[in-house]
Amino acid sequence: MVRPARFLASAAFLLAAACSDNPTFPGQLCVGYSDWATSPYVLPYAVGTSYEVIQGNCSPQGEGHRGANRYAYDFGMSIGTPITASRAGTVLQVEESHIDGEIAPVGFDNYLVILHADGTNALYGHLTRDGSAVAVGDVVAQGQLVAYSGNTGNTGGIPHLHVSVQNCDPVARGTGNCPSRPLTFSNTDPNVNGLVEGRVYQAK
Ligand SMILES: [Zn+2]
């Protein structure tokens, strides 16, 4: 039986799909994770709370986390769950105009993009209507409340948060031009090769 999660696609994926020059992505190898214990990233939700990874990295064919978008996580969470910054940075992009339940491969996603000091960009996708707690240009601290999760865009109808870190601003340049990067988290159980799909992780 095919789980519903198999049909989840990412904000990054839909943004890539929207890009007319979407390249052919090489390989599906998910390697190169940095030491989780010293990762500059923390889970994107409040300390003490726990959520399941409903789609992990290097998804099978038919799912969203593939190719340039293969290093991404979907956390199953109900609409309105507080989202916190995985890493400090500056808000580059805010989209919050779409209504929960507006589901389509392209065009209905609410999201944030936050630029980090090393030039990488975090994408937080599928946010709820008016679900941004920050504005473009805001400087945010790690762990700061930045958004509320939702069910907009290419969610397959399942409310969740998509998180990925990209090489450049995926909204401005398209995810195909800003490949995702291996991502580990320092404030949870060991995640040597990233988070494992189907597992629940508590933010400690
Ligand atoms: Zn996703």
Side-chain angles (χ1 to χ4, degrees):
M1 182 181 148
V2 178
R3 297 166 51 211
R6 290 200 173 279
F7 295 104
L8 298 179
S10 68
F13 180 75
L14 74 87
L15 292 165
C19 196
S20 60
D21 60 350
N22 190 4
T24 300
F25 301 121
Q28 271 291 297
L29 220 52
C30 280
V31 296
Y33 296 90
S34 62
D35 176 29
W36 69 273
T38 58
S39 171
Y41 297 92
V42 296
L43 290 172
Y45 41 81
V47 170
T49 62
S50 302
Y51 295 94
E52 180 184 354
V53 176
I54 61 173
Q55 187 181 162
N57 296 171
C58 265
S59 304
Q61 193 165 11
E63 295 188 17
H65 299 173
R66 293 175 57 80
N69 306 309
R70 67 189 181 276
Y71 298 110
Y73 300 107
D74 290 342
F75 297 97
M77 48 178 61
S78 56
I79 294 171
T81 301
I83 303 306
T84 55
S86 279
R87 185 173 178 177
T90 303
V91 179
L92 285 187
Q93 305 279 355
V94 175
E95 172 59 67
E96 57 177 358
S97 68
H98 301 294
I99 299 167
D100 293 283
E102 285 190 334
I103 310 299
V106 174
F108 289 130
D109 213 37
N110 291 336
Y111 51 76
L112 290 183
V113 174
I114 296 179
L115 171 66
H116 308 134
D118 66 353
T120 61
N121 295 252
L123 173 65
Y124 302 84
H126 309 310
L127 305 176
T128 192
R129 177 77 183 268
D130 298 328
S132 177
V134 294
V136 171
D138 283 0
V139 175
V140 301
Q142 185 174 56
Q144 180 180 329
L145 173 69
V146 290
Y148 296 91
S149 71
N151 184 24
T152 57
N154 200 4
T155 64
I158 299 173
H160 68 272
L161 173 70
H162 169 99
V163 174
S164 58
V165 173
Q166 319 273 149
N167 280 340
C168 53
D169 180 348
V171 173
R173 296 185 55 189
T175 51
N177 298 315
C178 305
S180 58
R181 303 164 62 92
L183 181 57
T184 55
F185 300 92
S186 61
N187 69 332
T188 191
D189 294 341
N191 53 113
V192 174
N193 293 306
L195 305 179
V196 176
E197 183 173 306
R199 275 202 55 184
V200 173
Y201 290 89
Q202 184 183 49
K204 298 175 180 175

